[in-house]
Structure formats: structure tokens, C-alpha cells
Amino acid sequence: MRIDQRFDFDVVIVGAGLAGLSSALTIAENHPQLKVAVLSKVHPVRSHSGAAQGGINAAVAADDRWEDHYYDTLKGGWFLADQDAVHLLSENAANAIYTFDRWGAHFDRNPDGTFAQRAFGGQRHNRTCYVADKTGHALLNTLYEQAVHKRVAVFDEWFVCSLIVDDGELLGLLAFSNKTGRLGYFAARAALLATGGAGRVFGQSSNALINTGDGMALAFRAGAALKDIEFFQIHPTGLLNGILITEGARGEGAYLVNKNGERFMQRYAPQFMELAPRDLVSRSIQREINDGRGFEGGYVHLDLRHLGAEKIKERLPQIREIAIYFAGVDPIEQPIPVRPTVHYTMGGVDVNTDCASTIRGLFAAGEASCVSVHGANRLGGNSLLEAMVFGIHTGHTIPAFLANGHQPKRSREEELVDAALADFAALFTGKATETVPVLRNEMETTMVASFGLFRHHDTMESGLQKIADLARRYRSVRVKETNLVFNSELIRALELGFMLDIAHACALASLDRRESRGSHYRDDFPQMDNPNFLRHSLVTRETDGSLKRSQKAVTIVDTQPLDTIKY
Amino acid sequence: MKGRYDIYRQRPGETRGSRQTFEIETPAGATLLEIFHAIQADVDPSFAYRYSCRGAICGSCAVRINGVAGLACKTQALPLAEKGVVVVDPLTNLPTIKDLVADFTAFWEAYDKVRPHLERQHEQHDDRLTWRDKLSAKHLDQLSRAVDCIKCAACLSDCPKRKLMPEYIGPQACVQLYKFYFDPRDAAHDFRVAEAAAPGGAVACDSYTNCVKVCPKDVRPLRAINFIKQDLASRSK
Ligand SMILES: Cc1cc2nc3c(=O)[nH]c(=O)nc-3n(C[C@H](O)[C@H](O)[C@H](O)COP(=O)(O)OP(=O)(O)OC[C@H]3O[C@@H](n4cnc5c(N)ncnc54)[C@H](O)[C@@H]3O)c2cc1C
Ligand code: FES
């Protein structure tokens, strides 16, 4: 196997969701002299950002203040977020909205022309701007329109498979084109990973099928740390294939029912019933399933029938459509099978407030990164915002980094590229004794069982062993098809490799965090423990392949963390 | 039950392929995209098709299902399989790269051609948005539909006019044109009018209505085209 083409860029951006494209566009607008390429394994408009519905938070209302958004975000994240990063997020939120408006986004407006905003959980103000129920889709498409307009060079359907790093400095990356099957080496002075989340590590996930955490794993393999990777947010109601049924259904009065026909929330939150806080509802559903009161196959029912055909058609048409098309169930006639679904990756590549990782020249932004604005739990509407604000932010910090003429030393480049190529080629040589679907399935079920809603030392310990074993077995996976054009077999194999790395890091970090905080809930340590665990977890891979765990202080600027979180 | 699926296969680099039959266990609730996953995982790992969101919002997975373009992820498999053999082909009016994967180059060329972005008169955001007041309710409705377009190319695939006249930009590009054509903020109006009136522009549409029928997001391209045509007609008066 050999490189078909070498490319030379100042900046290579991996990922064309809101984070990646915002960065590219900001550079194009302000630093047109820089040569920038955007690589994405799917066409930009197919990125997962397009699936976000609800909206994006910003204190744009006359009677709201970014300082309140700041505090709500800190508290929502159980004070694990870095305060300087959250400061950047909340103070720049309004500007991000204005920038997107300037680019042509169709934000909904009030009759007087000001931005319309809806209420989202955990916030003291209606702060969430939106474009109907298609916010992510509308913003992503607007951004793509402007990217085409500003002639951003997009390499769509190019899959990045490894980073080339020498002595802690980024040299470039290896990628292949799905369309042509060509293998390229992209030499760069800086690279941005904007590759999105890793929800697919779990068998039950609301994430797009492509959210396999590639960028996190690429950085991890190259020596960067994964930070707070034990934190995955779980949404209470997904269809069996993970697709979200929004809280709106319960808001309109839907019941959660187990196989005995009981409204089981009676047991867990008699006062609030189905409208109790998200994590409590998630845990209650899972408890029912674990205790054998779920339906065969592990789910409960979301029952809307008592609302009547008229109300369902009038108030919940979207939810009805989703149930009909994606689960084959008309909620007017039948209850909808649901179970908790992994929704968001709080952890990611450890970066500072410039979004720079510990590898010189390597940056990360959006869901792939952990600059740490979400802490132990993200607020709804803060993640699109993070992708936009820090995407735009890197559009300034990366050019600043390059301004002094930074040129990585390329003396060992050829040798390192050859080594990466040899690793790649090894996937195609020899006999396979393991297959991707089998390993993937085992990983997914292990992660749900051991690192899902209820974590406990014993189950996590056996989960860790299982994941380590899967990682070992993964080395016996081989790809038969050698043509790189839309090679499903190869893509699935590479993605599984990435996910196993993340699963492994998640397992270690989860075991080490002997407290409960945000999405990380432990039966054996049910309390939040600031004196011992108000710290970021870091997992790195040593050159000998072993994984190392360490901790890092949380940046406190002006707000004293609370010792318990209550809403 | 086991469903029978006759699926188009083509090797990369070749221009012709043929259908292959797969018998796949089809439980209630499974989507056609999930059937593809089962084929890829259990029968033939090299089977190629596009996917991303599996929730009808990214536009990756459009194929022709029993001869009509639609999203695989939004199609329930069992009701189809119960009726008989399910025939799946790649989109038409675009070349095929491999199996069910169509080459979108021409699709994106038509998109780029209409310059689908807001050309601002000024480089500022709108503090108070009042331009929408200038649009009638029917335009606001159509505009919201235009925003819904997921660029899946179902409409282009099934457009008879595009087949007859390859220079025609097709329904999707017309929708993009419409998105900015009536936008009072836009500074490129003259360009848009010229583009619509050009030989391969919106005027080329012969109102076959297929685009309205196959669109998985109810964007109604023909309606957008007719709004443009009406405007062009009123200008020539
Ligand atoms: C169902 C759902 C609803 C949501 N709703 C909301 C909401 O209402 N509000 C909110 O704030 N957040 C919401 N979120 C979260 C939010 O959508 C994401 O966090 C955000 O869009 C992430 O943006 P991103 O730019 O970081 O990554 P993404 O949009 O995921 O983009 C990742 C990019 O990386 C590319 N990529 C990945 N791997 C590779 C590789 N190996 N090679 C090349 N390219 C690669 C992909 O092609 C893609 O272009 C929701 C999430 C889900 C799952
Ligand atoms: S997979 Fe996204 S539209 Fe079908």
C-alpha cells in the first residue's frame, strides 16, 4: 500500500459539523492567506449536528445576563466544568447567535422581531434560541452554504485513519477517499479535531451511526489525554434503535408503564411521576428493566393512548410520526417501546482554553473535545453552542498559533508515515479469526451493562476485563476487501478500533471515580465527594501501550462549588 | 418472517451491476436501513450503502424502493416484505459508484450553480428581524419547507424532466434558488432571476409532480418552482 497523493496545508480540520465548519469559515473570513482543508467522513450536511432539534442557549434577551447562563452551566455540570472555559462559552454565546444570523440562519423570532427563546431544563431563564424543531439542521445547512460561498476546501467522504506526530508535535494525517479509493497524506502546520461524540460505544444511543469517537481515539493514540471520559449523558426515552422521543410526550401527559401495567414512577417519584428530573426517570426505567418488570427484550412502554387520537394528532404530531416510521407503532393504537439511550459525550480530548491539546499543533473543539464546559452533565442547548463558540474561537486561536511562522520539524516524517501505512496495511494481511459485528455487539452490551445508569465497582471491574479482552481479540480482525472505495468492511473495522480505545479509557476512569456526580452514578458511592473528586480525570496511553490514569485540578475562578446539587 | 430483498450490486470501477437476492429475518419495527445493516454484518461485509443519522434528517440513505425514491431509514421493512419481494436500487439520474451508493457530484454541481447563500447587503446581524413581515403566509410556509430540505436527491432521481434534459438543474436546486429568491435581505436578486429564467433553470420544469410525491420531508419543490415561475411571468408583463 502506498500514498497516492501528498497535500500541504496550513490547517487541516477534521470534521464538518458545527464545530469544524465554524472554525473553517472564521479562518476564511479573517485569515484568507491561510490554506485550510476540511475533511469529513460524510458530506458536511450529513454530520450529526444536523440531528439536534431543541435549540441553542444564549442570553440574548434584554432581561437575561450571560453571568446567569454561566452559573446555570456550572451548577448543571456539578461544578466539574472549568470556570474560565464556561466564561468563554456564556459570554460569547450571544455573538455566536449573531454570527449565525449574519450568515443567514432562520432563527425563530418574536412578533417584535427579537429572538424567540424556549425553556430548557436546569436554566432560570427562557434562554434557548431555535429554528422550529430543526435547529441543528438549519444551522448546519446555513454554515455549509457560507462555506461553499467562501470557497472553503472541503474533502467530503474522506476518512481520517491516523495522525502523524513526532516528539509531541503534529506533522499531518493519513486519510482515504471513499469515492475514489485514493490514499492521501495531508501535511499540516496545525490540525483541528472536530469529530463529534462517541455515543455509539454504547449499544443504546441516540447518536448518529457515525458517532464513533474517531477524533478522540486518534488523539489518544497519538499521546493526548482523554479527559472526564467516564461521563456520558443518558436520556430516559429512546426507541429500541435509540432514536429520541422528546420530553414533550411526557409533558403532554404520557405514562410510563411496565409489563405488569403499573405506572412505576409511583415508586420512585410519586409527586412528579413521569416528569421527575431526567436522570431519575432514566434510572427508574432501568431499575424496572433490571428487576424483571420490563418487557422481553428490555424495555418499558410509553403510553399515550389515554390522551386520545385528537390530542395526539394536534399536540404531538412529530412524536407520532417518529413512532410510526422508526418503530412501526402508531401511538394512538399502541404504546411505544422505550428505554434509556446514551445521548452525549461530556468527556473528550483534553484541551486548554485555546482548544490546544498537549500535542503541539493539535487542537480539538466541539463534542470531541473536553475544554470542559459541561462538567459532569451538560445542559440541553449548550452543546450546539459549544460547537459554535469554540469552533469560531479556534478560527482565531489556530491562526494566532501559526502567526509566529510555526513549522514542525519534518526530519522523521517519511519514516513515520511509512510506519502508519504499514499499520494500515496490516489490517488487510493475514487470516481473520475474529469478526467486527461480534466484537462490536459484545462491546455495546458490556458498556450498557457495566457503565450504564448504575455503576458499581464489581460490575465495572468485570466490564473492564471484558473490554480489555475485546481489545486483545480486535487484533485478530482482518479486512478482506482491499479496494478502498466505499469499503464498509474497512470503515466498520476502523470505527470499532476507535471505540474500543474509548470504552477502555471510560472503564478505567469510571472505576477510579469513587463518588456519584452528574451522569456518573455509583451504587457503592452514592454521594458527591468534592474533597476527593472535584478533579478532572485523565487517561493517556504510554508508548508501551499501557494506559495511565491521572488527575487534574478544576479551574475555579470566582464561584465556590456547592457540596450537594438540588433542583 | 424472512423477507426477500433483491438488491442492486455493482463493483467499484464498473458501470453495470445486477440484483442479488437476500433472505433476511424481518421483525416488526425494523426499518429497511436496519435490513441493510443485517446484510452487511451477517451476509456480505462488503455491501455498500450510505447512512448517518438513521432518523430521516441527514439525507444519506435515499435509494429506490420498488422503483420509487425514498429514505431507507424512514421505511418500515415488514409491511413491504409481507407484500412480496422488496426491490432496492440506487438513485437514478446519477451514476452509481458501488452497490447502492450514487455519485452526487452532479447533484452538488447544480446546488453550487444557484449560489445558495445569503448575499448580505451589509455585514451585520439583524437585531430585530422584520423582513419576514414583508412575506405572505404562503411564502413563509414554503420558506420553512425549503429549510427542511435534507439534500437526499430523491427528487432529482425521480424527475422525468432531468432525464430528458440533463442541463435542467432539477427540483432540489430550484428549492435552493427559491430559498433566497424572495428573501428581502438578499443582494443577489438579479442573479437569481436570471438563473431561474435561464434554459436549464426553474422555467425548464414541466410539472411532473414526482418531486412532491417522493420528497421525504414534504418540501414540495414544485410549489416553490411555481412561485418562481409566477414571479417571472409577472415581470414580463
Ligand atoms: C438526537 C440529538 C439531539 C440533540 N439536540 C441538541 C440540542 O437541541 N441542542 C444542543 O445544544 N445539542 C444537541 N445535541 C448535541 C449536539 O448535536 C452535538 O453535541 C453537536 O452537534 C456536536 O457538533 P460537532 O461539530 O462537535 O460534531 P458533529 O456534528 O458530530 O460532526 C462531526 C464531524 O466529524 C466528522 N468525522 C468524524 N470522524 C471522522 C473521521 N474519522 N474522518 C473524517 N471525518 C470524521 C464527521 O463526518 C462530521 O462531519 C443533540 C444530540 C443528539 C444525538
Ligand atoms: S440515515 Fe440520515 S436520512 Fe436516513
Side-chain angles (χ1 to χ4, degrees), chain A residues 32-215:
Chain A
Q33 79 287 0
L34 290 178
K35 267 185 77 185
V36 181
V38 178
L39 274 65
S40 173
K41 66 178 177 179
V42 296
H43 186 280
V45 302
R46 326 273 185 229
S47 300
H48 184 60
S49 288
Q53 304 177 337
I56 167 166
N57 303 329
V60 290
D63 58 345
D64 197 3
R65 305 180 323 138
W66 70 260
E67 291 89 343
D68 291 343
H69 183 190
Y70 170 77
Y71 186 79
D72 290 346
T73 302
L74 288 181
K75 184 175 170 199
W78 294 55
F79 292 93
L80 191 66
D82 286 320
Q83 299 187 356
D84 49 356
V86 179
H87 186 144
L88 272 172
L89 180 84
S90 42
E91 195 178 14
N92 289 309
N95 248 324
I97 300 284
Y98 301 151
T99 304
F100 271 71
D101 179 78
R102 175 164 66 78
W103 285 335
H106 290 235
F107 286 109
D108 281 30
R109 301 281 188 149
N110 296 316
D112 68 354
T114 54
F115 289 93
Q117 292 181 294
R118 54 168 65 118
F120 254 33
Q123 305 195 62
R124 293 166 293 163
H125 205 282
N126 289 3
R127 192 177 286 140
T128 309
C129 301
Y130 55 91
V131 184
D133 58 353
K134 50 194 175 201
T135 311
H137 170 75
L139 297 184
L140 181 62
N141 278 274
T142 298
L143 198 51
Y144 180 67
E145 289 164 3
Q146 291 293 326
V148 172
H149 173 39
K150 300 278 159 60
R151 299 184 197 289
V152 171
V154 177
F155 291 72
D156 65 304
E157 305 198 312
W158 277 76
F159 190 103
V160 176
C161 51
S162 60
L163 301 182
I164 308 297
V165 170
D166 186 20
D167 196 18
E169 188 166 75
L170 178 102
L171 305 184
L173 48 86
L174 217 55
F176 57 86
S177 161
N178 279 323
K179 259 180 289 195
T180 63
R182 290 167 71 80
L183 198 56
Y185 173 62
F186 291 74
R189 295 165 63 209
L192 172 68
L193 297 171
T195 46
R200 282 284 148 190
V201 168
F202 291 80
Q204 292 158 214
S205 171
S206 67
N207 284 198
L209 303 169
I210 63 167
N211 278 20
T212 46
D214 305 7

Side-chain angles (χ1 to χ4, degrees), chain A residues 362-374:
Chain A
L362 183 66
F363 294 73
E367 194 169 339
S369 70
C370 184
V371 62
S372 199
V373 290
H374 307 301

Side-chain angles (χ1 to χ4, degrees), chain A residues 101 134 145 209 325 488, chain B residues 47 52 76 120 126 148 179:
Chain A
D101 179 78
K134 50 194 175 201
E145 289 164 3
L209 303 169
Y325 289 122
S488 328
Chain B
F47 174 47
S52 170
Q76 284 290 310
R120 282 246 176 216
D126 299 307
D148 284 344
K179 194 173 161 193

